[in-house]
Amino acid sequence: MTAEVAILNRGAVALATDSAVTIGQKTYTTENKLFELSRTKPIGLMIYNSLDFYNYPWEVLIKDFRTANGDKSHSYVSDWAQTFVDWLYNNRKPTVKLQDEYFRKVVEEILREAYHKYLEQIAPLRTKNSRSNSKSIKPILGNVLRDLSEEFAGLRSASRLEKLSGLKAVHAPLLDETTLRAYIDTHGKVISDLAKEQFLGPLDEEEQALVRNLIFDVLARHRPTSFSTGLVFAGFGEKNEFPALHHLTIDGLFSDQLRCFETQYYSVGQSGAEQGTVLSFAQPNVTRHFLYGVDEALDKRIAAHFAEEIKDLKTEIGLKLNLGSKRLKVLREALEQGADTILQRYNAKAGADLKKEAFADTEEMVALMPKQEMADLAEALVNITIIKGKASSDQETVGGPVDVAIISRHEGFVWIKRKHYFDPKYNARYFWRQFGQWPPVGAKAQNAPRAKDDPL
């Protein structure tokens, strides 16, 4: 995994990312995740999660795009995002075979999640030689599949894009629900075979239909799979007076349509509340804990804990008031309904308001922060996540050197810290090829280039 931070104010945007990548049981700490998207324009791109797109490394794709389009200009950061998505679709579209292989992996992941939930629910009912329990177990799979579908159906539609609308008349086709439904239906046998393998036996027609509905509900909603890639575009378009950030998720192609959805958009304003902010991506909990006093997972657990405590008051109140069974039932229902209402209100607004209040001082300072301090803060927030990982028993999935860049309107993309896999003093020809000069800025003129007629 990854820890990435973006800090924006009216003067610039600071980007910072770690260098860790996990492949199987191995973790390497030299991966590049922060890139200049243009050779001449003030625009950058960070990536996280999957580091390839249908066997194309994202680093290669980004540099290919930069070569083909990097000197062009676009009005807004969202236009840069649209142009990149269009170029990706038109120039690196995978074969149908690769698309189908990706679909199989996605289905396997969805079914695996459903199977684990199914095992959790049948575990208490599994006793030897119990016919009654076997009858009780039978409908549980269907219930699990229905519950998961309802859970995902409540998420935003993946086809809803507010900012990703290019100026060109023709752009990459994004996945729509009608096409997705037809695609799933045509792959019914593949789904049926995978479900039979996952659930250790054939499913009846109703269960197979529920499985297909679940796959549709997952892919039609704003819910990335583990194979997706997050892309964070940040900087300036020609008409962006202040910096903006556009966060997208790309998660494969289905029936030649990109499953691409907008995760976040932030644009700095001249006045009002949006004059600066700190945003974190990939593994944001440590950064959010630092900024807001609580991370999202802990926040939900605390809120759920108090809701359960309210529900449990029924016993204590019932004993003190000596209520009969009927009144105790009414009290229990009232407390449960009240606790659920409080939890919903907290999740919908109150929790966000409290975190915003805790972040207010930092936000006010960020809005006025000089560039160097923005870079230092972005790097520190990534380092906090790295340190937290070292103090945890979990596998360290964040680490390595921290790459940091500042993007401003007039200076453009400027590296503050950047790792290299090679030493510049041994690669004079590289700098001649790239920049027509030696030594590179800040380097000593050691191992200078040989004469042009040197056969080596």
Side-chain angles (χ1 to χ4, degrees), residues 279-290:
L279 303 172
S280 54
F281 310 94
Q283 288 184 243
N285 281 350
V286 176
T287 299
R288 290 177 181 173
H289 202 141
F290 177 84

Side-chain angles (χ1 to χ4, degrees), residues 415-433:
W415 288 104
I416 305 301
K417 286 191 175 181
R418 186 189 187 189
K419 64 182 176 296
H420 283 285
Y421 67 90
F422 61 85
D423 190 325
K425 71 181 181 181
Y426 299 127
N427 291 275
R429 288 194 180 96
Y430 168 82
F431 291 96
W432 276 107
R433 289 195 302 270

Side-chain angles (χ1 to χ4, degrees), residues 20-190:
V21 58
T22 302
I23 304 173
Q25 301 299 315
K26 292 283 188 179
T27 298
Y28 301 98
T29 55
T30 54
E31 186 62 51
N32 293 319
K33 305 175 189 177
L34 173 57
F35 305 93
E36 295 179 77
L37 198 57
S38 168
R39 295 186 186 277
T40 59
K41 305 303 179 183
I43 187 75
L45 171 61
M46 294 191 296
I47 62 171
Y48 65 88
N49 203 32
S50 177
L51 296 177
D52 69 73
F53 178 77
Y54 290 98
N55 301 331
Y56 275 107
W58 278 106
E59 180 173 357
V60 174
L61 291 172
I62 292 165
K63 291 177 179 178
D64 285 348
F65 171 83
R66 187 171 66 200
T67 300
N69 299 273
D71 293 331
K72 297 178 181 178
S73 62
H74 298 283
S75 297
Y76 300 99
V77 171
S78 56
D79 295 329
W80 277 102
Q82 178 70 66
T83 302
F84 182 82
V85 170
D86 293 345
W87 178 88
L88 182 70
Y89 177 83
N90 292 318
N91 295 275
R92 297 294 184 269
K93 185 169 67 173
T95 63
V96 173
K97 180 181 178 181
L98 285 173
Q99 292 182 44
D100 288 345
E101 288 176 0
Y102 189 94
F103 178 70
R104 286 180 64 91
K105 292 194 297 183
V106 168
V107 170
E108 287 173 351
E109 179 176 274
I110 296 170
L111 293 179
R112 191 159 50 245
E113 182 177 351
Y115 182 64
H116 289 323
K117 289 186 178 294
Y118 170 67
L119 288 180
E120 289 176 6
Q121 294 200 20
I122 67 172
L125 301 175
R126 277 181 141 173
T127 57
K128 292 183 179 180
N129 301 321
S130 174
R131 292 183 178 179
S132 60
N133 280 352
S134 64
K135 291 180 180 179
S136 301
I137 289 174
K138 176 61 179 173
I140 289 179
L141 176 58
N143 293 334
V144 167
L145 296 171
R146 290 187 190 92
D147 290 344
L148 282 173
S149 285
E150 290 179 8
E151 177 185 332
F152 297 131
L155 301 176
R156 283 186 295 162
S157 171
S159 61
R160 180 184 175 186
L161 291 166
E162 297 174 352
K163 299 290 182 183
L164 189 61
S165 55
L167 302 177
K168 295 182 291 184
V170 178
H171 53 74
L174 304 180
L175 188 63
D176 63 82
E177 295 187 3
T178 302
T179 301
L180 176 60
R181 179 69 76 180
Y183 184 77
I184 290 173
D185 288 343
T186 59
H187 288 72
K189 186 178 186 308
V190 172

Side-chain angles (χ1 to χ4, degrees), residues 186-200:
T186 59
H187 288 72
K189 186 178 186 308
V190 172
I191 295 171
S192 178
D193 291 343
L194 291 174
K196 180 180 178 180
E197 181 180 334
Q198 181 64 70
F199 293 103
L200 308 178

